[in-house]
Amino acid sequence: MRCRKLLPIGVMLLVTLASCQIGSQTEKPNIIVILADDAGYADFGFNGCEDLKTPNIDNLAQQGVVFSDAHVSSSVCSPSRAGIITGRYQQRYGHECNEGDGFTGLPKTEISLAKRLKTQGYNTAAFGKWHLGYAEGYHPNDRGFDYFYGFLAGGRSYFPDENNDRLGDTHAILENKKHVLFDGYLTDVLGVKASQYIEKNEGQPFFMYLAYNAVHTPMHATKEDLALFEGHSRQTLAAMTWALDRSVGNVIKTLKDKKMLDNTVIFFLSDNGGAHNNQSSNYPLNGFKGNEFEGGHRVPFLVYWKDKLKVGSYDGLSSSLDIGATACALAGVKGDFNLPLDGVNLMPYISGEKSEPPHDKLFWRKDKMAAARVGDYKLVRVQGLKSTVYDLDTDLGEKDNLAIEKPELKDQLENELKSWEEQMISPLWTEGHRWDTITYMIHEDLMLNRTVRVKDPSQLKEYKAMVKKSKMEMK
């Protein structure tokens, strides 16, 4: 079985690659990965959104391939980015949590996609949010990127800020390793800087990792963009999403103007599901950023390559890990650097050359929570709770727990997860007891189909105070 299509947008796609001589220096495509931050599954027009406006991104979708069953390898920012940038399950090298005690960053033993592509003559650049290490040796310039413009931390103000922009602060903007200041709205600035890089790199293939911090908190938008959505029920998110789309449009226009768009492959996705605190929507999925329900890791995902991919949708199980394998195949990268990729080249699957889905199994783990996907069946496992099982073909919202009526299925999925875990290592750092508690409570509530009690540390503090007060009143 395959999961049902969420939003068919065209006929079954065909891929015509015969005219592209992969491996030929003159035919190597430029490769751009555009990564949104904490964007909701349902918050782009190409995925059915009607109240947020994303015309430039939707135009890419209308001329490309939309994946309805695509997933990132983690439901939170840093490990998800580690998976994308290496093409490998981040649990293989212990980078499965956001910052915690012992956090250093993407282990130096790992090879980035940028380094792999450099072996085939690619120029490489990263823009925006890094979130893969702050110390010497973990900077993008040390991980295969020739050029970097952005910040090292997991988030920052969208406007110049005297606290964020202090020399040496991980939130400050860097150009390569030099501290710089910026003017304006950061989402727009990143698009401008990316466009300038494109203009300087005619004649040689390039790999660009354009990692916006939009629409991650803080919820900052320009007055002009807010005015466009006055009275909107999600005004700030609408304004931020509009700016994100405008910035992407600026990059696309530059590619067109420089006559480089025809030979540029563009991947667009979010790093994880929409967050609970940025007005995002993951409808019709259950859960949100930070948990192992579909809303945490199923993401909007499209691939564009002008005149190479005909318009269509694809419902095979796919992963952000596939970006690395696909890019390497298109660039003619040979060898695995003794670090095999976990993703697959998507092109034979979406062309119809291979009829099976890219993956029949996917797995997730972040400290005490984990999940397994085998075919259409999904297991959610949390330490201290009874595992739940869902049939995503008939229950995409993960409400009907099959674990009790199908114990053999639960055992099978748990064994699949354990077999996968035997290939992984323990996390090198965790997010600590406080977040473990929040994660536990969120999953318990979602598993029991009840309203989530706490979603962040401030709510946990309030909840504990309420429980303490209630116990005192009962005495």
Side-chain angles (χ1 to χ4, degrees):
M1 292 184 292
R2 287 185 180 179
C3 285
R4 61 188 175 188
K5 294 181 181 179
L6 300 183
L7 185 69
I9 61 166
V11 297
M12 190 62 186
L13 60 118
L14 298 173
V15 183
T16 55
L17 296 175
S19 62
C20 181
Q21 300 175 355
I22 301 300
S24 167
Q25 181 68 30
T26 58
E27 292 295 333
K28 291 184 190 300
N30 304 309
I31 298 169
I32 300 178
V33 176
I34 301 178
L35 191 63
D37 195 352
D38 288 5
Y41 182 76
D43 284 344
F44 298 92
F46 73 85
N47 249 22
C49 184
E50 296 181 353
D51 66 323
L52 304 183
K53 305 304 180 185
T54 53
N56 292 298
I57 297 170
D58 293 344
N59 187 53
L60 291 178
Q62 290 162 8
Q63 299 181 60
V65 183
V66 174
F67 293 73
S68 65
D69 198 0
H71 302 259
V72 286
S73 59
S74 176
S75 63
V76 293
C77 302
S78 185
S80 175
R81 290 157 193 268
I84 291 170
I85 214 68
T86 63
R88 289 162 45 82
Y89 276 117
Q90 62 275 6
Q91 293 86 356
R92 290 193 184 278
Y93 44 89
H95 192 145
E96 66 179 72
C97 298
N98 268 338
E99 301 97 324
D101 291 339
F103 175 77
T104 50
L106 180 66
K108 295 179 182 179
T109 53
E110 289 300 308
I111 305 297
S112 72
L113 177 56
K115 278 194 174 181
R116 292 178 188 263
L117 293 176
K118 280 174 71 67
T119 66
Q120 293 300 305
Y122 275 73
N123 287 335
T124 58
F127 296 86
K129 173 176 169 176
W130 180 238
H131 207 194
L132 292 174
Y134 315 136
E136 185 67 28
Y138 294 91
H139 186 281
N141 290 153
D142 300 321
R143 308 312 298 266
F145 289 99
D146 302 316
Y147 179 80
F148 173 64
Y149 183 93
F151 59 97
L152 301 179
R156 62 151 292 141
S157 169
Y158 288 77
F159 298 102
D161 180 270
E162 62 180 9
N163 292 318
N164 285 177
D165 293 317
R166 291 175 298 178
L167 179 66
D169 195 293
T170 59
H171 303 85
I173 299 298
L174 300 176
E175 185 169 25
N176 294 319
K177 295 184 178 182
K178 179 182 178 182
H179 176 264
V180 296
L181 301 177
F182 74 99
D183 293 317
Y185 185 64
L186 186 56
T187 302
D188 287 318
V189 172
L190 293 176
V192 170
K193 292 296 182 180
S195 295
Q196 291 173 349
Y197 176 85
I198 291 169
E199 291 173 344
K200 295 176 181 177
N201 277 274
E202 292 184 84
Q204 184 173 2
F206 67 82
F207 166 59
M208 177 185 293
Y209 174 61
L210 179 51
Y212 291 97
N213 53 316
V215 289
H216 192 290
T217 55
M219 301 300 287
H220 290 172
T222 68
K223 293 179 180 179
E224 294 79 7
D225 288 339
L226 286 169
L228 295 173
F229 298 95
E230 187 173 354
H232 195 289
S233 61
R234 300 193 287 168
Q235 182 185 17
T236 307
L237 178 63
M240 294 173 71
T241 303
W242 177 256
L244 170 65
D245 185 80
R246 176 175 63 234
S247 185
V248 171
N250 188 20
V251 173
I252 302 305
K253 182 179 183 301
T254 302
L255 289 168
K256 284 182 180 179
D257 291 346
K258 305 303 290 186
K259 298 184 172 24
M260 299 167 71
L261 184 61
D262 290 6
N263 197 37
T264 299
V265 181
I266 300 173
F267 299 89
F268 175 86
L269 71 163
S270 177
D271 65 340
N272 44 247
H276 74 89
N277 58 353
N278 69 345
Q279 303 179 326
S280 60
S281 170
N282 295 313
Y283 179 85
L285 310 178
N286 197 9
F288 44 88
K289 174 185 178 180
N291 57 74
E292 300 299 8
F293 283 77
E294 290 293 285
H297 54 73
R298 187 187 287 237
V299 296
F301 180 46
L302 70 86
V303 180
Y304 169 92
W305 194 3
K306 184 175 173 61
D307 297 332
K308 301 295 192 304
L309 309 178
K310 292 188 177 179
V311 175
S313 61
Y314 182 73
D315 63 358
L317 181 60
S318 48
S319 169
S320 59
L321 301 176
D322 300 331
I323 292 173
T326 305
C328 285
L330 293 174
V333 174
K334 296 178 175 61
D336 61 15
F337 299 86
N338 295 317
L339 295 172
L341 299 174
D342 286 310
V344 300
N345 176 15
L346 290 171
M347 294 301 171
Y349 296 92
I350 59 179
S351 69
E353 179 183 340
K354 293 186 177 182
S355 59
E356 69 273 18
H359 301 272
D360 58 356
K361 304 172 186 178
L362 286 177
F363 302 94
W364 298 266
R365 189 182 71 189
K366 185 169 83 73
D367 198 7
K368 299 181 186 300
M369 63 177 183
R373 171 76 180 273
V374 179
D376 284 325
Y377 291 109
K378 167 94 171 282
L379 172 88
V380 178
R381 187 197 73 191
V382 178
Q383 185 175 320
L385 296 171
K386 293 182 179 180
S387 297
T388 54
V389 175
Y390 306 97
D391 181 354
L392 298 183
D393 185 50
T394 59
D395 180 28
L396 188 61
E398 295 172 292
K399 298 293 186 181
D400 184 13
N401 178 19
L402 305 176
I404 295 177
E405 66 179 86
K406 294 188 176 183
E408 300 87 358
L409 175 61
K410 180 178 79 73
D411 290 344
Q412 176 192 348
L413 293 171
E414 287 184 333
N415 287 333
E416 293 276 10
L417 179 56
K418 289 176 183 177
S419 295
W420 173 78
E421 288 181 306
E422 290 173 356
Q423 306 170 51
M424 308 297 132
I425 68 172
S426 298
L428 297 180
W429 59 84
T430 66
E431 296 167 17
H433 175 72
R434 180 176 61 176
W435 274 109
D436 283 346
T437 301
I438 295 168
T439 292
Y440 177 96
M441 293 180 68
I442 290 172
H443 281 86
E444 182 180 34
D445 291 336
L446 292 174
M447 288 170 162
L448 295 174
N449 295 326
R450 66 191 188 193
T451 301
V452 174
R453 291 164 291 175
V454 301
K455 299 176 180 178
D456 57 39
S458 64
Q459 291 182 6
L460 178 63
K461 183 178 180 180
E462 293 173 1
Y463 178 81
K464 287 182 175 180
M466 180 185 69
V467 170
K468 182 178 181 180
K469 180 180 178 182
S470 178
K471 287 180 178 181
M472 291 179 64
E473 291 174 348
M474 291 176 64
K475 290 182 179 180

